[in-house]
Amino acid sequence: MSRDTGDNLNRNLSGNVPMDSVLDTFLSRRSVVRGGLGAAIAMIAGTGLSGCFDSGGSDDDDPVVAPPTPAKLKLGFNSIAGSRTDACVVAAGYSAYVLAPWGTPLNSKANPWKADGSNTSTDQLNAVGMHHDGMHFFPINGSSEDGLLAINHEYIDADALHPAGPTSVAGKRPAEEVRKEINAHGAGVIRLKKVSGRWQVVDNDPLNRRFTSATVMNLSGPLRGTNHVKTRFSINGTQARGTNNNCGNGYTPWGTYLTCEENWPGIFINKSATLPADQKRIGVSTSSGNYKWETAAGDASEVNDEFSRFNVTPSGASAIDDYRNEASTYGYIVEIDPYNASTLAVKRTALGRFRHEGCCPGLPVVGKPLVWYMGDDSNNEYLYKFVSTAVWQAADANPADRIATGNKYMDQGKLYVARFNADGSGVWLLLDVNTPTASGQTLGSLYGDLAGIILNTRGAADALGATPMDRPEWTTVNPLNGDVYLTLTNNSARTAAKVDAANPRGPNRHGHIIRWHDSDDHNSFSWDIFVFGANAAGTADINRSGLTELNQFASPDGMSFDSRGILWFQTDNGESSLTSYTNDQMLAVIPTNLVNAAGKQVPINAQNQVDLRRFFVGPNGCEVTGIAFTPDNKSIFVNIQHPDNWPSADLATTATPAGTKVRPRASTVVIQRNDGGEIGV
Ligand code: FEO
Ligand code: CA
Ligand code: CA
């Protein structure tokens, strides 16, 4: 979440509260929660681990987990204490280095970063963007020492971006400042190499590139070419300009990056008396854009409506004469081919339009559809998944044309939204024209065609009775068994009267992580809550997982399994019971190690919580977000977003000297073990 641009207002007025009277039922039946073994077996294919989890463990018909054949993986570091300094802290035996901070030149068109904030918009277009977030490492020829870091730049700190903060003259933002802000957003691809044991950015590498809030992209999937997305820029509705507020990320089995558009509604303004339903439901502003980019419209230097496009108030004779549809070209999953700089990014509209947080793929199985899981991060919004029409073919893992492969798997398929039942089961509700709504209509009767449904994905999900969740952030899939995990970061709008089994605390100030396992047919799932965020001194109702000083956390957000089955998650916390103890952090746990006497996976509890360990803490003011791994797991990349007064040295653990004020720079931090071994074990 961008603390400055984030918007967690509850815009869900659907009244979907399907479980608020049945919490007790759930708590008394937790032992029925179990994963779909058949699905797990289909996916694990030789890993030697079962995919079941069970929060009760008393069922004698539960299959017993097969003992892992390799030596059981264990965390090999001790949990560290919290920290509140202008420095990173990492577990003993590890080092953390600053890599690719905001403003690092990617090619010779950019001047070196200047500490006075005076770099130009052209410099910024050719340099690392601001406020790093989700990312993924794409190896070159399988290497763990040479690769491409695809990375999101979620938003900006305008005070740090400009020499003396943002300015305006008579209510208008200067064009050069607006261009610099637009260019600091988006995503990027950065060539990295490890030289003499240290990672470096490869300046001028031909694969280095930036995608900004102005970069031309293709529209693909059900919205492409429809009247919903025709603009003065693209009169046939096939292209869009820019990606914005790119928060979590995903990837594909064919080697492309997925960047997710989250708080993009804030860059637009619609001054109409009545907003289109989709704009109202998702929160397009009626007063002022977050950055007031639209106020630069009419500047003598403006090219191709580069500023006026952020004002989506109808002004022309039709949609192709103005930008009333510009906001309809945002809110998507965007696919980037990091290995081919000649390709355009593609907005994959089939995966829904909302405030996308992340987009994690399920485990690919030959002959089965591909799946991606996606959160919509606002109070009381929903969890979604997309299931491809095409079934996975192994030859597509290394295709000649990755974007064409994306067309194959990501443009046709089924979009679902989740309903969590109180008994630990769940249903995936299909967002399609023939699906009956809770009020006895069909989605087709409400929204016309599939494009209309996708345009107002939230509204369609309302109509189906999906479960409002506590701000769904990232998802990740356990490579050992296909279980899916979702961070629910917090929910100030959840009242005590509106709790349900999947979101059982109101208000939810600390967040929790829920997990599930899909059925083979993708229509249903079984779920449990893996861990509740809490301060260690919290009441029994708050500290439900028995956390201690060494692993207390709140507001889980970024999250990813590594290839070995270690779950890493990160916090974006503003809850005072934790901020008074520690800055934002990253913790690790191996869920398949947490089992009951019958060998079934169980959630984190007072007995096993010692296996949840704090590995890393960021500097004052920051959010720790984004995580990527080299194939050998000997380097882990994490991002430090919006630090207060950091970095001051190459070593990320060097504290900024007292009395020194640096211009803060979001940065990737690369963590390596001092003996060169694998991280975490
Ligand atoms: Fe950008 Fe939902 O965090
Ligand atoms: Ca967040
Ligand atoms: Ca986030």
Side-chain angles (χ1 to χ4, degrees):
M1 171 52 59
S2 53
R3 285 185 186 143
D4 292 348
T5 64
D7 176 356
N8 305 315
L9 296 178
N10 178 20
R11 292 193 173 81
N12 186 347
L13 305 178
S14 67
N16 286 354
V17 284
M19 293 184 294
D20 52 345
S21 65
V22 285
L23 174 59
D24 291 344
T25 308
F26 168 73
L27 292 175
S28 68
R29 297 187 57 192
R30 293 178 73 193
S31 65
V32 305
V33 175
R34 70 189 63 179
L37 183 65
I41 289 173
M43 287 193 236
I44 58 179
T47 61
L49 288 173
S50 161
C52 293
F53 55 81
D54 190 314
S55 51
S58 61
D59 298 359
D60 55 12
D61 61 335
D62 286 341
V64 174
V65 69
T69 41
K72 189 173 172 183
L73 194 68
K74 288 185 175 177
L75 296 182
F77 64 91
N78 292 323
S79 199
I80 61 173
S83 170
R84 297 169 64 201
T85 70
D86 288 318
C88 296
V89 183
V90 66
Y94 291 84
S95 295
Y97 300 97
V98 172
L99 178 72
W102 157 57
T104 302
L106 294 175
N107 60 55
S108 53
K109 295 176 187 165
N111 288 298
W113 180 79
K114 298 173 184 173
D116 63 1
S118 64
N119 286 93
T120 66
S121 62
T122 300
D123 290 340
Q124 185 59 80
L125 179 61
N126 295 284
V128 173
M130 217 175 199
H131 282 15
H132 306 33
D133 206 317
M135 61 182 161
H136 194 80
F137 182 86
F138 294 89
I140 301 286
N141 296 323
S143 175
S144 287
E145 301 196 344
D146 182 6
L148 300 164
L149 193 67
I151 184 168
N152 292 346
H153 298 291
E154 185 184 19
Y155 69 116
I156 61 167
D157 172 353
D159 288 335
L161 185 67
H162 304 298
T167 67
S168 61
V169 178
K172 286 182 171 288
R173 298 289 319 282
E176 168 64 10
E177 282 187 19
V178 172
R179 288 193 189 103
K180 189 174 178 183
E181 293 174 13
I182 287 170
N183 292 345
H185 281 81
V189 176
I190 308 170
R191 180 74 177 266
L192 300 178
K193 276 188 182 172
K194 199 171 170 189
V195 179
S196 302
R198 289 284 304 278
W199 286 93
Q200 301 175 357
V201 172
V202 181
D203 195 5
N204 277 311
D205 190 275
L207 294 176
N208 288 348
R209 60 175 169 156
R210 282 293 318 284
F211 303 84
T212 76
S213 296
T215 305
V216 174
M217 302 180 175
N218 283 326
L219 287 166
S220 197
L223 267 294
R224 178 182 171 88
T226 67
N227 288 335
H228 301 296
V229 290
K230 291 175 179 173
T231 65
R232 191 161 118 133
F233 169 73
S234 180
I235 60 172
N236 57 8
T238 57
Q239 288 198 315
R241 277 186 285 184
T243 188
N244 185 266
N245 287 112
N246 305 72
C247 193
N249 72 287
Y251 56 93
T252 70
W254 54 92
T256 59
Y257 183 66
L258 303 176
T259 183
C260 311
E261 300 179 335
E262 189 194 21
N263 287 314
W264 55 272
I267 61 173
F268 295 107
I269 178 174
N270 189 339
K271 298 178 180 174
S272 305
T274 305
L275 262 54
D278 67 284
Q279 291 186 16
K280 185 176 181 184
R281 184 64 180 79
I282 207 148
V284 169
S285 174
T286 55
S287 55
S288 171
N290 273 346
Y291 305 119
K292 298 182 171 61
W293 291 344
E294 73 282 359
T295 67
D299 185 271
S301 68
E302 185 176 18
V303 175
N304 290 335
D305 311 317
E306 62 183 309
F307 309 125
S308 62
R309 71 189 182 98
F310 295 106
N311 184 341
V312 299
T313 313
S315 60
S318 74
I320 62 170
D321 299 305
D322 61 25
Y323 290 93
R324 69 187 66 180
N325 287 336
E326 189 74 355
S328 302
T329 68
Y330 280 74
Y332 301 110
I333 298 297
V334 182
E335 184 180 18
I336 289 170
D337 182 354
Y339 294 108
N340 185 345
S342 70
T343 53
L344 294 183
V346 182
K347 297 202 174 196
R348 298 290 180 195
T349 67
L351 281 76
R353 176 172 178 257
F354 42 92
R355 294 186 189 234
H356 276 286
E357 178 73 26
C359 191
C360 183
L363 305 182
V365 178
V366 170
K368 301 281 189 182
L370 297 178
V371 186
W372 285 267
Y373 299 94
M374 303 171 285
D376 179 357
D377 178 14
S378 292
N379 286 334
N380 297 324
E381 293 302 337
Y382 306 124
L383 167 70
Y384 298 86
K385 76 169 178 179
F386 175 79
V387 179
S388 68
T389 299
V391 298
W392 179 238
Q393 294 176 285
D396 285 332
N398 290 294
D401 185 337
R402 291 177 193 82
I403 294 298
T405 308
N407 297 343
K408 175 179 176 182
Y409 290 104
M410 301 192 88
D411 284 348
Q412 296 91 35
K414 293 178 177 176
L415 182 65
Y416 296 88
V417 65
R419 184 169 66 209
F420 289 78
N421 297 323
D423 63 358
S425 68
V427 180
W428 287 108
L429 305 165
L430 178 63
L431 292 157
D432 202 0
V433 289
N434 295 320
T435 306
T437 67
S439 60
Q441 299 166 287
T442 64
L443 287 182
S445 70
L446 294 177
Y447 297 101
D449 55 9
L450 181 60
I453 291 170
I454 288 172
L455 187 73
N456 194 346
T457 303
R458 284 181 170 185
D462 293 343
L464 297 186
T467 301
M469 305 295 285
D470 288 347
R471 293 185 52 198
E473 298 253 26
W474 293 46
T475 56
T476 187
V477 175
N478 192 332
L480 303 183
N481 58 27
D483 289 349
V484 194
Y485 291 65
L486 167 69
T487 46
L488 294 161
T489 196
N490 56 58
N491 187 350
S492 57
R494 174 85 56 189
T495 63
K498 291 287 179 69
V499 297
D500 60 41
N503 306 274
R505 295 181 298 185
N508 183 0
R509 295 185 290 114
H510 298 85
H512 55 288
I513 298 176
I514 200 167
R515 66 178 167 182
W516 66 92
H517 199 98
D518 273 352
S519 62
D520 288 338
D521 64 6
H522 290 290
N523 292 325
S524 61
F525 58 94
S526 55
W527 64 271
D528 72 351
I529 293 177
F530 178 64
V531 64
F532 290 91
N535 54 316
T539 64
D541 186 54
I542 294 295
N543 191 6
R544 297 184 182 204
S545 297
L547 304 184
T548 69
E549 181 180 324
L550 285 176
N551 54 22
Q552 59 182 343
F553 72 92
S555 300
D557 188 347
M559 178 175 63
S560 183
F561 275 96
D562 67 28
S563 60
R564 303 162 297 181
I566 301 177
L567 177 67
W568 304 84
F569 67 90
Q570 305 163 320
T571 64
D572 174 17
N573 177 46
E575 211 290 317
S576 60
S577 69
L578 267 297
T579 56
S580 59
Y581 172 75
T582 187
N583 294 338
D584 276 322
Q585 57 180 308
M586 182 168 77
L587 304 100
V589 61
I590 305 174
T592 51
N593 285 359
L594 308 183
V595 295
N596 61 18
K600 300 278 300 176
Q601 288 186 75
V602 296
I604 291 174
N605 56 43
Q607 287 70 50
N608 64 26
Q609 55 77 28
V610 70
D611 291 324
L612 171 65
R613 299 183 186 178
R614 183 178 297 120
F615 179 73
F616 177 87
V617 180
N620 290 334
C622 85
E623 167 183 347
V624 179
T625 183
I627 181 162
F629 314 91
T630 51
D632 63 5
N633 290 306
K634 292 181 176 178
S635 299
I636 290 186
F637 305 90
V638 301
N639 282 327
I640 299 300
Q641 189 188 88
H642 58 77
D644 282 346
N645 193 22
W646 177 93
S648 64
D650 276 354
L651 206 57
T653 48
T654 300
T656 305
T660 299
K661 181 63 183 161
V662 302
R663 187 171 290 269
R665 300 174 82 183
S667 176
T668 299
V669 164
V670 58
I671 300 170
Q672 297 169 246
R673 214 165 92 177
N674 294 340
D675 66 3
E678 290 187 29
I679 309 280
V681 295

